[in-house]
Amino acid sequence: MVYIKPQTSRAYFKRFQVKFKRRREGKTDYRARNRLINQDKNKYNTPKYRLVARFTNKDIVAQIIHASISGDIVLAAAYSHELPRYGLDVGLTNYAAGVWFSFVLMLKWSFCPWLRKRLEMDAKYEGNVEATGEDFTVEPAESRRPFNALLDVGLIRTTTGNRVFGVLKGALDGGVDIPHSDKRFAGFNKDNKQLDPEVHRKYIYGGHVAAYMRTLMEDEPDKYQSHFSEYIKRSIEPYSIEGMYKKVHAAIRADPEAKKSAKEPPKGHKRYNLKKLSYEERKAKLIDRLKALNSAAGVDNDYDEDDD
């Protein structure tokens, strides 16, 4: 069969509709977003909250967001670069870090007075006090149901054991009700279709990192020196990683509130354009220029007379 090239007529281009900017840039999946933000009509103006998890090369970001006509509104946010305040200086983007910094977000949200007052929530939902590998779902109290949110993973591939589900685990342990299944947690066995709590607990406390450290120490010492240089600098050994994460958990529980960084105000603003002058300043500047021109013209006339 002969290939016939489709012809695009003038009518095609007249009816062509450009896709949204963030779709053209490959940043937003609008099919998923519509399902996350669309609210039932009989719920009127009730916001639909999302737990948004995003990953960069050096940081993890988690936010509680709800959509509005004017744009998305962020109620609370946490970043993995806050974890050094709790004693975790290394491994800020792995699975365990996702669990703990998401835990920071949930506790920060639940202990924030402004949000509690706005959403009429109190701190009765303590969450999972002891971090285990078992799946945890908060039980509703008699007076008020727990805070509900939907997990927004963006464009991340939701494979089993992905770090985004570490963020989900931390949020669940923090006392937030998120519809989920345990099929994507690290340690889920697809053969018997059950979650192995011991394997999941190993990932939560950095056991997979410790196992990799031991393997490199024995097989490739040079690679271990380069890959875990920050661990070596801080004298963190494979056997001490679990204890480090337990201390981080206790520190987060003790003080989840965000601290404002004490930055010194800038000394002076560097100006790249001329300062705008008022009418009186422009008038005075013009008079000075005329006087300078007149005086220069008078000096030239004096030189001419001397030559004659």
Side-chain angles (χ1 to χ4, degrees), residues 42-274:
N42 60 358
K43 293 185 179 179
Y44 301 101
N45 202 27
T46 304
K48 201 171 185 178
Y49 297 103
R50 313 189 324 266
L51 171 64
V52 180
R54 297 292 183 266
F55 295 83
T56 67
N57 289 338
K58 295 185 179 181
D59 207 1
I60 309 177
V61 184
Q63 298 168 314
I64 295 178
I65 298 178
H66 73 86
S68 68
I69 295 296
S70 58
D72 285 2
I73 298 174
V74 180
L75 294 183
Y79 306 88
S80 62
H81 63 247
E82 297 179 33
L83 291 175
R85 185 164 67 90
Y86 301 104
L88 184 62
D89 297 313
V90 291
L92 300 183
T93 56
N94 58 27
Y95 188 94
V99 173
W100 296 119
F101 101 96
S102 178
F103 189 63
V104 171
L105 170 66
M106 294 308 109
L107 291 186
K108 184 190 296 184
W109 174 86
S110 61
F111 283 94
C112 179
W114 176 77
L115 285 175
R116 277 189 298 174
K117 182 178 179 181
R118 178 173 177 177
L119 299 176
E120 300 177 3
M121 296 288 289
D122 50 18
K124 63 177 62 177
Y125 292 104
E126 192 175 12
N128 195 5
V129 179
E130 182 182 358
T132 61
E134 297 178 357
D135 188 15
F136 177 80
T137 303
V138 62
E139 296 295 333
E142 296 179 358
S143 59
R144 185 178 175 87
R145 289 174 293 180
F147 181 76
N148 181 269
L150 302 175
L151 180 64
D152 185 343
V153 299
L155 302 178
I156 295 175
R157 290 186 179 272
T158 53
T159 54
T160 301
N162 195 300
R163 292 176 298 172
V164 72
F165 298 109
V167 177
L168 171 64
K169 173 61 176 170
L172 294 170
D173 286 350
V176 177
D177 181 23
I178 301 176
H180 70 284
S181 171
D182 61 0
K183 291 183 179 180
R184 291 303 181 188
F185 286 138
F188 181 82
N189 191 334
K190 65 179 181 180
D191 295 329
N192 57 15
K193 300 188 183 302
Q194 288 183 349
L195 175 67
D196 189 347
E198 292 300 324
V199 176
H200 195 199
R201 184 185 182 280
K202 183 184 78 170
Y203 275 80
I204 291 173
Y205 286 104
H208 59 300
V209 179
Y212 185 55
M213 290 175 70
R214 293 190 190 96
T215 303
L216 288 185
M217 289 173 70
E218 296 174 0
D219 300 340
E220 302 179 69
D222 295 336
K223 190 175 180 180
Y224 171 75
Q225 295 288 335
S226 62
H227 278 212
F228 293 96
S229 59
E230 293 296 325
Y231 287 73
I232 297 170
K233 188 186 297 183
R234 292 171 172 80
S235 302
I236 299 174
E237 299 293 335
Y239 61 83
S240 64
I241 288 181
E242 182 174 344
M244 177 182 67
Y245 280 113
K246 287 183 178 179
K247 291 179 181 177
V248 170
H249 184 201
I252 293 171
R253 278 284 183 186
D255 183 20
E257 284 289 342
K259 303 292 183 184
K260 288 187 177 181
S261 59
K263 292 183 179 179
E264 296 182 359
K267 296 180 180 180
H269 179 67
K270 191 173 181 180
R271 194 179 188 95
Y272 293 94
N273 57 349
L274 297 176

